[in-house]
């Protein structure tokens, strides 16, 4: 076999490789012999089938198999001989593979850069530590007690803060407002968000009493058919209920599933502590990645950069499309609202419908697509244990952006796009800078992990799989089966675990100092770091 290096520019290497025809023919004969010893053909005993017949029946398929094997083994040998650590699978172009002739092909491959030996001393990392103050626990308990406050029926005129249960119907000019009729509605007297003056006219009402409440919709009402118009709501009071004092004792704890108040307070403290610890960890990691990105500058393989950029740009385009569709849908709904029936219930108490049960819902999470921020770990796709051997090229689909494999080659099939605006060109530049940062950080973290034998254990993977399954209630078994049948998908679970372990290792080596702060100082520090992120290429271009 003859290997000739034809180009060595930057991280790109190109070779011309020739495998002698004799080697190819010998492998074909060997493979046909293996088939002949086991194949059963009519009229021939096993092992007695003539070679000519085997060649006629199986020759083309065997030749293709041998050529593929020859390319794989010779390309791996070439990379091993030249001590190449491939960043992506090599690209092969067959020059000649005619029967009886040498196999000739060219191979181009991008190599991983030679990374500097990292020195984590002098990073100046600081871990902010918050001890949950009793005052915050008191406020949390008070909020919980307010949510759990009970009411009781009273036989007296309604007062501010009372809740009346009433049937309502609204009219404008004597005509019923479509959607205004409601039975058994809860109306809190003095509550914000209702139409100005609405609950004032219900003060002093008794159970069984019907009152006509006259209100004027604001001029800036969301529905132009109501804006500035006077409406009369007929309100029939069924019950007047007063709120009982908020109980902060063991009964409150029992109502929410704890044995006593002390246990409830301890649970609140632990939850708050976990949240503050998570914020502190998030800030520490971001500061670390910023410092590493600033300290270690080196060229990255262009192919890896392109794949990461395509991933980010795809998310950015998807986000823009979702925003456009949402705006169009909102405009369509507004048009329908102006032409069709009016839901007076929404106009009377918008936050009651929007916030109904809000106390029982979990707070919003940062799960939305954010290609520009560090909420998504910037190096998660790249921070993986690198195989390290020349004969094991990195699979770009697994190492960089597994979700983007469907987009490979898209530029060859999609129609030409219209000329980009100046803003879009700027966005491309910003996102390409971000892609470069992410690839660099990923390669650096992967190298640190490889050099220090950092691995992800099977137990850690099992725990990650269990967490992923719990995110899909009712489909846990399907999720587990999916990952078991798709080993490549497991890389999506392994990568962030590996990255976190490498970050922990670096933080330990850097000897991060601890500093006690208040919760407000921690939150302010996290917000300040996010505001400063634009200088590192993580901010979203305008």
């Amino acid at each position: 076999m003859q290997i000739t290096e034809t180009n060595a520019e930057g991280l790109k290497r190109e070779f011309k490789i020739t495998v002698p025809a004799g080697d190819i023919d010998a492998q074909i004969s060997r493979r046909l012999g293996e088939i002949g010893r086991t194949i059963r053909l009519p009229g021939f005993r096993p092992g007695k089938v003539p070679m000519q017949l085997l060649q006629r029946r199986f020759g083309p398929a065997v030749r293709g198999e041998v050529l593929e094997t020859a390319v794989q083994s010779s390309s791996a040998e070439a990379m091993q001989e030249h001590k190449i650590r491939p960043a992506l699978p090599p690209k092969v172009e067959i020059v000649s593979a005619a029967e009886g002739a040498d196999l000739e092909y060219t191979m181009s491959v991008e190599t991983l850069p030679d990374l500097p030996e990292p020195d984590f001393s002098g990073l100046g990392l600081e871990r902010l530590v918050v001890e949950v103050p009793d005052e915050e626990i008191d406020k949390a308990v008070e909020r919980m007690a307010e949510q759990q406050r009970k009411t009781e029926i009273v036989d007296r005129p309604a007062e501010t803060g009372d809740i009346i249960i009433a049937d309502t119907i609204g009219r404008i000019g004597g005509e019923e407002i479509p959607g205004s009729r409601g039975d058994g509605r809860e109306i809190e007297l003095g509550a914000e968000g209702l139409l100005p003056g609405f609950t004032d006219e219900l003060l002093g009402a008794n159970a069984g009493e019907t009152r006509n409440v006259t209100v004027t919709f604001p001029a800036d009402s969301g529905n132009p058919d109501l804006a500035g118009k006077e409406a009369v709501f007929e309100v029939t009071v069924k019950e007047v209920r007063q709120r009982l004092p908020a109980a902060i004792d063991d009964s409150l704890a029992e109502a929410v599933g704890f044995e006593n108040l002390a246990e409830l307070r301890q649970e609140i403290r632990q939850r708050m502590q976990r949240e503050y610890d998570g914020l502190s960890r998030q800030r520490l990691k971001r500061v670390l990645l910023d410092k590493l990105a600033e300290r270690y500058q080196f060229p990255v393989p262009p192919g890896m950069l392109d794949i990461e950029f395509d991933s980010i740009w795809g998310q950015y385009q998807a986000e823009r499309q979702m925003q456009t569709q949402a705006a169009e849908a909102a405009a369509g709904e507004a048009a329908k609202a102006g032409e069709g029936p009016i839901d007076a219930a929404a106009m009377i108490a918008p936050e009651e419908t929007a916030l109904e049960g809000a106390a029982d819902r979990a707070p919003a999470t940062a799960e939305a697509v954010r290609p520009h921020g560090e909420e998504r770990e910037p190096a998660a796709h790249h921070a993986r244990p690198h195989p390290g051997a020349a004969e094991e090229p990195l699979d770009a689909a697994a190492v960089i952006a597994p979700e983007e494999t469907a987009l490979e080659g898209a530029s060859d099939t999609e129609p030409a796009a219209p000329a980009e605006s100046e803003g879009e060109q700027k966005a491309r530049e910003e996102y390409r800078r971000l892609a470069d940062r992410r690839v660099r950080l990923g390669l650096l973290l992967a190298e640190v992990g490889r050099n220090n034998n950092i691995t992800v254990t099977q137990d850690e993977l099992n725990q990650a799989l269990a967490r992923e399954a719990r995110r899909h209630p009712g489909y846990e078994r399907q999720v587990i089966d999916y990952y078991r049948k798709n080993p490549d998908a497991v890389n999506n679970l392994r990568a962030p675990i590996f990255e976190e372990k490498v970050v922990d290792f670096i933080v330990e080596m850097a000897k991060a100092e601890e500093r006690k702060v208040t919760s407000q100082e921690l939150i302010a520090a996290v917000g300040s770091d996010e505001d400063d992120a634009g200088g590192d290429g993580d901010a979203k271009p305008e």
Side-chain angles (χ1 to χ4, degrees):
M1 182 177 68
Q2 183 178 355
I3 302 172
T4 305
E5 186 171 12
T6 59
N7 185 25
E9 181 181 353
L11 297 177
K12 294 182 179 181
R13 298 288 186 275
E14 293 181 2
F15 299 88
K16 180 181 179 181
I17 300 176
T18 302
V19 181
D23 293 351
I24 299 296
D25 292 340
Q27 290 298 320
I28 292 174
S29 298
R30 182 188 62 78
R31 181 68 181 120
L32 288 174
E34 292 175 354
I35 295 174
R37 286 192 291 272
T38 57
I39 195 70
R40 291 181 178 275
L41 291 180
F44 298 96
R45 289 179 296 169
K48 300 299 183 180
V49 181
M51 180 61 71
Q52 289 183 339
L53 180 58
L54 291 173
Q55 185 122 18
R56 192 164 55 249
R57 290 283 300 270
F58 306 105
V62 168
R63 180 173 180 79
E65 175 187 321
V66 168
L67 288 175
E68 181 179 356
T69 302
V71 169
Q72 291 178 349
S73 59
S74 59
S75 61
E77 183 178 341
M79 288 188 289
Q80 187 173 18
E81 180 179 312
H82 287 77
K83 295 182 173 57
I84 290 176
R85 293 175 59 198
L88 301 172
K91 296 179 180 179
V92 171
E93 184 175 343
I94 303 297
V95 176
S96 173
E99 188 171 349
D102 294 342
L103 167 64
E104 294 184 7
Y105 68 91
T106 60
M107 178 183 72
S108 59
V109 60
E110 293 182 3
T111 68
L112 290 173
D114 293 328
L115 302 184
E117 184 69 26
D119 178 14
F120 302 127
S121 62
L123 284 176
L125 298 181
E126 183 180 61
R127 189 195 307 273
L128 303 184
V129 179
V130 172
E131 293 183 0
V132 182
D134 291 339
E135 293 79 5
E136 291 192 18
I137 299 174
D138 294 340
K139 291 179 181 178
V141 172
E142 289 170 3
R143 287 193 298 270
M144 188 174 295
E146 187 66 25
Q147 294 170 359
Q148 296 293 323
R149 282 182 68 179
K150 294 180 172 55
T151 62
E152 65 178 5
I153 298 175
V154 293
D155 185 15
R156 60 165 175 75
E159 301 174 354
T160 299
D162 286 345
I163 295 174
I164 64 172
I165 311 300
D167 298 338
T168 63
I169 180 173
R171 298 181 178 87
I172 293 179
E175 294 186 6
E176 180 177 336
I177 303 174
S180 66
R181 186 183 296 273
D183 296 333
R185 285 187 171 163
E186 291 189 2
I187 303 173
E188 182 179 351
L189 304 189
E192 297 180 358
L194 303 181
L195 288 171
F198 184 83
T199 63
D200 294 344
E201 296 193 36
L202 296 175
L203 293 173
N206 290 285
E209 181 181 348
T210 298
R211 289 193 178 187
N212 291 324
V213 178
T214 302
V215 294
T216 300
F217 284 93
D220 58 353
S221 173
N223 191 316
D225 288 346
L226 297 179
K229 292 186 178 180
E230 184 178 85
V232 177
F233 285 87
E234 181 181 304
V235 182
T236 301
V237 180
K238 291 182 174 181
E239 295 177 358
V240 176
R241 307 184 71 91
Q242 71 174 3
R243 289 180 178 273
L244 297 176
I248 301 180
D249 52 23
D250 289 347
S251 63
L252 170 63
E254 293 170 359
V256 293
F258 295 90
E259 291 187 3
N260 51 55
L261 184 59
E263 184 178 319
L264 172 61
R265 289 179 63 88
Q266 181 63 20
E267 174 64 21
I268 293 174
R269 182 184 297 276
Q270 291 175 353
R271 289 186 181 181
M272 285 185 169
Q273 191 66 61
R274 285 195 296 269
E275 291 177 2
Y276 288 136
D277 290 347
L279 278 177
S280 177
R281 160 78 182 192
Q282 173 187 328
R283 176 188 178 275
L284 176 62
K285 180 179 177 181
R286 184 182 184 89
V287 171
L288 168 62
L289 294 176
D290 287 346
K291 288 180 178 292
L292 292 178
E294 180 180 358
R295 177 177 289 196
Y296 296 103
Q297 301 285 336
F298 50 84
V300 301
M304 297 182 76
L305 177 59
D306 290 341
I307 292 174
E308 180 65 12
F309 171 77
D310 288 344
S311 172
I312 298 173
W313 188 253
Q315 293 177 64
Y316 167 67
Q317 295 284 55
E319 186 180 83
R320 289 185 61 187
Q321 184 176 0
M322 290 174 59
Q323 292 173 348
T324 300
Q325 291 174 347
E328 291 174 350
E333 290 298 322
K336 290 179 182 179
E339 299 169 0
I342 300 166
D343 184 0
M347 303 308 299
I348 296 172
E351 68 273 57
E352 286 190 4
T353 54
L355 298 181
E356 184 177 354
D360 302 325
R361 294 197 296 264
T365 60
E367 293 290 334
V369 176
R370 301 176 69 90
H372 53 279
E374 291 300 332
E375 288 83 352
R376 169 199 168 197
E377 303 301 348
H381 289 315
H382 315 284
R384 309 193 174 199
H386 188 278
E391 60 268 30
E392 294 184 1
L394 289 180
D395 181 356
V399 176
I400 299 181
E403 69 275 13
E404 287 301 313
T405 53
L407 298 180
E408 289 181 7
S411 59
D412 300 327
T413 59
E414 294 179 354
E420 293 182 345
S421 65
E422 183 178 348
E424 194 159 82
Q425 290 177 351
K426 181 181 178 182
R428 279 184 175 274
E429 293 172 0
E430 290 291 328
Y431 284 142
R432 196 158 189 87
R433 192 157 60 95
L434 173 58
D436 179 88
R437 166 191 163 96
R438 287 182 173 174
V439 174
R440 245 184 321 117
L441 286 172
L443 292 175
L444 181 63
L445 295 186
E447 188 74 359
V448 172
R450 187 174 72 92
N451 291 340
N452 294 279
N453 300 317
I454 298 174
T455 59
V456 177
T457 66
Q458 187 60 46
D459 185 54
E460 289 169 333
L461 274 179
N462 292 340
Q463 292 177 25
L465 178 56
R467 288 194 297 270
E468 182 67 18
R470 286 196 296 270
R471 293 180 60 239
H472 305 275
Y475 298 91
E476 291 87 349
R477 175 51 55 187
Q478 291 91 324
V479 171
I480 293 174
D481 289 343
Y482 169 77
Y483 280 100
R484 285 179 176 171
K485 295 176 182 177
N486 297 273
D488 288 344
V490 176
N491 284 332
N492 295 332
L493 300 178
R494 178 183 288 107
I497 300 173
F498 177 76
E499 178 177 306
E500 293 303 313
K501 295 182 74 170
V502 173
V503 167
D504 286 339
F505 172 81
I506 296 175
V507 170
E508 182 178 353
M509 295 294 293
K511 295 180 172 55
E513 296 183 359
E514 292 189 352
R515 179 165 67 92
K516 290 186 177 181
V517 296
T518 66
S519 56
Q520 292 81 3
E521 289 172 335
L522 172 62
I523 294 172
V526 172
S528 175
D529 289 337
E530 291 180 353
D531 291 340
D532 293 339
D536 293 316
D538 300 330
K540 181 178 179 179
E542 295 297 332

